[in-house]
Amino acid sequence: MHRGKSGPDTACVGAHCQGAAGAASAGCSTAIRPQIGPHHLYRPQTLDPASGAPQPPPMRVITKTADLETFSRDLRGQDFFAVDTEFMRETTYWPKLCLIQAAGPETEAVIDPLAEGLDLAPFLDLMADRSVLKVFHAARQDLEIFLKLGGVLPGPVFDTQIAAMACGWGDSIAYDALVQQVLKRRLDKSSRFTDWSRRPLSENQLVYALADVTHLRDLYPKIQTKLDSENRAHWLDEERANLTDPDIYDTTPENAWKRLKLRKTTSDYVLGLQVAAAWRERQAQARDVPRGRIVKDEALYEIAEHRPKTPADFDRMRAVPRGFGNSRAAQDLITALDRAFAEPNRPHYKHERSAPTPPGMGPTIELLKVLLRYEADTHSVAPRLIASAADVEAIAADDNADVLALKGWRREVFGERALALKHGKLALKLKNGKVAVEDV
């Protein structure tokens, strides 16, 4: 629990507020001031009464629902706000949310979701409000958390990691590297690997957490300006749509098998894998442990292959833990398999095989990959944003392949040139040790 109080909705947290026995010191009134320096761009800084030097505003650590309502209302009136979370999930199935950081152009705060009596509803309502843009970096796990808490995916969303691909700053760029690249700031990494579930949080932890989101708040306008100036904002449409596709956050046990790579495509094998994967998903969710703590993926493949009918059958499987056959869970799995295979109208899996690559296409595919890399470097964009390996293979086999790389801006950047190369109208050569392209 954060202890002490310094002004409205600002908790005073850290060793300087703690007595020798860990209780709050009487009369504590010193607010935490995050050391985020002159890059605090968005509102006038207060002056230190002793030195007269500019100081950032006091850190707000929200532990009360009324304060969260006020903060959420303040954010709702702004064009955008940045969001970050700290969570733990090394030993659980569901992520345990430990901290929320949010920063808009005129306000920022740290929200303690573990504070006794705090209702996150005002903030969750804000996350679902489509009139306010939410800015994340590598948003997927954060979005998963808010979906689980509020039942609705946040939106609209701007992911700086995705946007960086269209700006030429790399594929899946790390947050600290992006901050260094764009803002020329070095991040303090001292609290990166910390137990965010323990209370009270130290001042260093809170400063680290808030700085993460204020950097993000500063990143967004610069990245958006670059995208707009180069007319590339629409380059991110498909990636944004994928990020907010509810299917990628689906935890329905019956769909768990879709995350696994099929090793066989016979109906009985796929049915066995479907049943085993669904059983594991239910077990993991009910016990709130990682899937691998129930059984590893390799065990699911063995179960699908051999379809155990007795507890002893599990003992002959190498990937199944020793003694598993004697457990209640094993009997539940056998029952689920028997029930599924006894169903007279059970569905029969039909594997839709992709068309095989025509023989002799290997060199063409490799040349197209070189061209892709060349065009990506020329246009300062991550290759993955232009075309996938499957796209390149499809183009090699079919001029009219139904792939994104032959549509819209991707066709302009790469697709037309790829077809020209394929038909001998374009040539690749080495010039001074570098790849060059010329019309034929």
Side-chain angles (χ1 to χ4, degrees):
M1 242 341 243
H2 300 337
R3 309 182 194 278
K5 187 82 171 176
S6 176
D9 65 18
T10 303
C12 184
V13 184
H16 69 285
C17 296
Q18 302 295 318
S25 301
C28 173
S29 61
T30 305
I32 299 171
R33 296 188 181 277
Q35 301 303 306
I36 53 179
H39 62 269
H40 192 83
L41 303 177
Y42 286 83
R43 64 180 188 268
Q45 296 173 321
T46 58
L47 298 180
D48 182 87
S51 66
Q55 295 291 317
M59 179 185 289
R60 298 169 70 184
V61 182
I62 296 176
T63 61
K64 304 295 183 184
T65 302
D67 297 336
L68 184 58
E69 289 174 347
T70 300
F71 179 58
S72 299
R73 186 167 56 250
D74 291 344
L75 288 176
R76 197 183 298 272
Q78 302 181 34
D79 292 334
F80 77 93
F81 63 93
V83 189
D84 189 27
T85 64
E86 309 297 343
F87 58 91
M88 311 282 285
R89 74 180 313 170
E90 288 83 358
T91 61
T92 61
Y93 178 93
W94 306 107
K96 179 182 180 181
L97 180 61
C98 301
L99 210 64
I100 303 171
Q101 307 96 275
E106 298 179 3
T107 188
E108 70 249 2
V110 172
I111 304 165
D112 183 2
L114 303 183
E116 184 177 353
L118 179 65
D119 184 356
L120 291 176
F123 192 77
L124 296 177
D125 288 345
L126 173 64
M127 294 301 289
D129 185 345
R130 300 199 64 82
S131 69
V132 187
L133 180 69
K134 293 87 182 172
V135 179
F136 295 86
H137 182 84
R140 181 165 174 171
Q141 291 193 85
D142 297 312
L143 295 181
E144 178 188 357
I145 288 170
F146 288 115
L147 175 61
K148 178 71 166 57
L149 288 173
V152 179
L153 272 172
V157 169
F158 184 96
D159 189 326
T160 55
Q161 188 178 66
I162 291 174
M165 291 195 294
C167 296
W169 294 324
D171 183 358
S172 302
I173 187 172
Y175 182 61
D176 56 348
L178 184 61
V179 170
Q180 173 68 24
Q181 173 76 28
V182 180
L183 301 177
K184 311 305 180 187
R185 304 172 191 162
R186 294 191 180 277
L187 297 187
D188 173 16
K189 302 179 183 179
S190 60
S191 295
R192 174 171 292 186
F193 301 106
T194 191
D195 184 352
W196 293 102
S197 66
R198 298 187 66 177
R199 294 295 184 271
L201 294 170
S202 71
E203 182 171 332
N204 284 341
Q205 286 175 304
L206 291 169
V207 169
Y208 168 90
L210 187 63
D212 258 3
V213 81
T214 54
H215 290 311
L216 186 59
R217 183 263 315 277
D218 294 354
L219 276 171
Y220 166 68
K222 292 182 178 293
I223 295 176
Q224 187 64 63
T225 297
K226 182 174 176 63
L227 290 172
D228 290 342
S229 67
E230 297 179 1
N231 193 29
R232 293 188 177 188
H234 66 289
W235 287 18
L236 306 175
D237 289 347
E238 288 83 11
E239 296 293 328
R240 285 174 174 167
N242 291 337
L243 183 64
T244 54
D245 180 0
D247 288 347
I248 70 173
Y249 304 98
D250 182 23
T251 56
T252 305
E254 287 71 23
N255 293 330
W257 70 279
K258 296 177 181 178
R259 284 189 294 269
L260 301 167
K261 185 175 181 179
L262 290 179
R263 295 183 178 177
K264 294 175 63 175
T265 57
T266 62
S267 291
D268 283 357
Y269 177 87
V270 174
L271 179 59
L273 190 64
Q274 290 172 336
V275 172
W279 163 85
R280 182 179 70 170
E281 202 76 6
R282 291 191 189 92
Q283 291 279 322
Q285 291 178 3
R287 293 162 56 181
D288 194 18
V289 297
R291 297 180 185 96
R293 293 278 185 93
I294 306 299
V295 293
K296 304 294 186 186
D297 289 354
E298 193 63 35
L300 297 183
Y301 292 126
E302 278 199 88
I303 291 166
E305 177 72 28
H306 299 292
R307 192 185 148 196
K309 298 179 178 61
T310 68
D313 290 341
F314 289 108
D315 296 335
R316 290 187 282 273
M317 297 182 188
R318 296 179 61 182
V320 173
R322 187 182 302 273
F324 173 78
N326 296 323
S327 68
R328 171 72 177 272
Q331 187 56 56
D332 289 344
L333 177 54
I334 291 173
T335 300
L337 287 166
D338 288 345
R339 184 184 301 117
F341 278 91
E343 174 59 48
N345 297 318
R346 68 178 187 266
H348 291 279
Y349 178 75
K350 293 182 179 179
H351 180 57
E352 296 182 3
R353 296 182 181 274
S354 56
T357 302
M361 281 288 141
T364 303
I365 292 170
E366 294 306 316
L367 283 175
L368 290 174
K369 288 180 179 179
V370 173
L371 178 66
L372 173 61
R373 184 72 221 187
Y374 172 85
E375 297 295 351
D377 289 346
T378 300
H379 292 86
S380 297
V381 60
R384 184 168 68 88
L385 193 61
I386 301 174
S388 66
D391 287 351
V392 172
E393 293 175 5
I395 293 171
D398 183 358
D399 288 0
N400 299 307
D402 185 17
V403 295
L404 286 176
L406 290 180
K407 299 175 182 177
W409 68 268
R410 293 176 173 86
R411 187 179 184 106
E412 296 175 14
V413 169
F414 170 70
E416 287 290 353
R417 307 265 277 179
L419 294 175
L421 176 64
K422 180 180 171 183
H423 292 286
K425 298 178 181 179
L426 200 71
L428 298 175
K429 66 178 184 179
L430 285 177
K431 185 177 181 180
N432 297 325
K434 295 182 179 180
V435 172
V437 177
E438 64 179 25
D439 294 325
V440 176

